[in-house]
């Protein structure tokens, strides 16, 4: 089944409760997640740079994914707008907004905190008061990108949230929401300028462009695998234990290799 959101390509997708929220040509649209072809998409707002769902901390450290309410954060021109399901069919309503120094290029809303990446810096916002504080500066040449680590990656009994922030063209650092400081984990050093990034299970993935994806282990923070995929990679997204890779020619789903198959493969290779 195929659903047409707008005449332009879809730039971002996120699942928000029973809604599928899409960003296309600066517009935010809502479709029913159960059957995207059942009705026409509902337009929410325009002039938007990026979107993200609201996720909640979990006490289950082994969980692969976070859950969250039917809420979404929208980065518009010099403001963040928080939307929630209104109770009407395919409808989101703005419930709060905060001013920002510039348009946010990437956002993550976890628990009561919102991390936003701008051209000049990363900022942490309270989702209740909108009061900001600086996390770290950027050099102006680096495109801010971030990825929320899954609950299973947490070293704490209750996962309050940890993110990977791209802080330079080849360096990413881990940031903890509970301490509001950079993590003690080692930085990720990418072999070349990194583009889209994502985290799933014990892995961090990043693409330097083209069809290449570098896979790093979260425990050692080292590159363990390099994949060559069709097309030019535009975006990486995770869902539970899978990574969805969107390129200009295809959608590729990556799954973690089960331990039994991996062990057999290594034995076969004499390793």
């Amino acid at each position: 089944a195929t659903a047409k959101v707008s005449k332009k390509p879809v730039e971002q997708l996120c699942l928000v409760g029973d809604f599928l929220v899409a960003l296309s040509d600066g517009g935010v649209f809502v479709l029913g997640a159960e059957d995207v072809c059942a009705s026409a998409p509902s337009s929410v707002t325009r002039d938007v740079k990026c979107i993200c769902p609201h996720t909640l901390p979990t006490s289950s450290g082994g969980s692969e994914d976070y859950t969250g309410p039917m809420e979404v954060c929208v980065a518009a021109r010099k403001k963040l707008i928080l939307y929630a399901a209104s109770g009407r069919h395919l409808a989101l309503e703005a419930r709060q907004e905060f001013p920002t120094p510039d348009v946010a290029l990437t956002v993550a809303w976890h628990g009561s905190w919102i991390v936003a990446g701008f051209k000049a810096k990363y900022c942490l916002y309270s989702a209740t008061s909108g009061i900001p504080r600086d996390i770290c500066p950027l050099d102006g040449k680096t495109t801010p990108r971030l990825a929320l680590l899954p609950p299973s990656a947490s070293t704490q009994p209750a996962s309050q949230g940890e993110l990977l922030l791209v802080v330079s063209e080849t360096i990413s650092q881990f940031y903890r929401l509970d301490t509001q400081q950079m993590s003690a984990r080692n930085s990720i050093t990418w072999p070349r300028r990194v583009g889209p990034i994502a985290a799933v299970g014990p892995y961090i993935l990043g693409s330097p462009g083209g069809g290449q994806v570098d896979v790093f282990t979260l425990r050692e923070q080292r590159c363990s695998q390099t994949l060559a995929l069709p097309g030019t990679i535009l975006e990486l997204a995770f869902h539970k234990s899978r990574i969805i890779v969107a390129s200009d020619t295809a959608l590729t789903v990556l799954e973690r290799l089960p331990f039994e198959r991996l062990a057999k493969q290594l034995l076969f290779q004499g390793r």
Side-chain angles (χ1 to χ4, degrees), residues 117-226:
F118 304 95
K119 287 182 180 179
K121 60 185 176 180
Y122 286 100
C123 289
L124 179 70
Y125 287 83
S126 164
T128 53
S129 67
I131 297 174
R133 60 174 291 182
D134 290 353
I135 295 176
C136 66
L138 294 173
D139 58 13
K141 298 183 295 183
T142 301
T143 300
R145 300 180 187 273
L146 55 80
L148 179 66
L149 272 58
S152 57
S154 174
T155 57
Q156 306 298 319
S159 178
Q160 298 300 314
E162 189 173 358
L163 297 101
L164 183 68
L165 310 179
V166 174
V167 296
S168 75
E169 293 183 343
T170 59
I171 301 291
S172 295
Q173 291 184 313
F174 296 93
Y175 178 78
R176 288 180 55 170
L177 289 172
D178 57 350
T179 62
Q180 296 182 14
Q181 293 180 345
M182 292 299 180
S183 167
R185 298 182 196 263
N186 293 326
S187 301
I188 297 285
T189 302
W190 304 98
R192 53 195 66 80
R193 181 176 182 174
V194 70
I197 62 171
V200 60
Y203 300 107
I204 301 290
L205 291 85
S207 174
Q212 182 173 317
V213 176
D214 295 313
V215 182
F216 281 70
T217 58
L218 189 56
R219 178 175 293 181
E220 293 90 10
Q221 293 93 46
R222 63 178 180 84
C223 187
S224 62
Q225 189 177 12
T226 296

Side-chain angles (χ1 to χ4, degrees), residues 203 222 224-225 257-271:
Y203 300 107
R222 63 178 180 84
S224 62
Q225 189 177 12
L257 193 64
F259 177 76
E260 293 79 6
R261 284 178 56 191
L262 179 60
K264 288 180 180 178
Q265 196 174 77
L266 293 176
L267 287 171
F268 180 76
Q269 295 173 352
R271 296 171 61 184

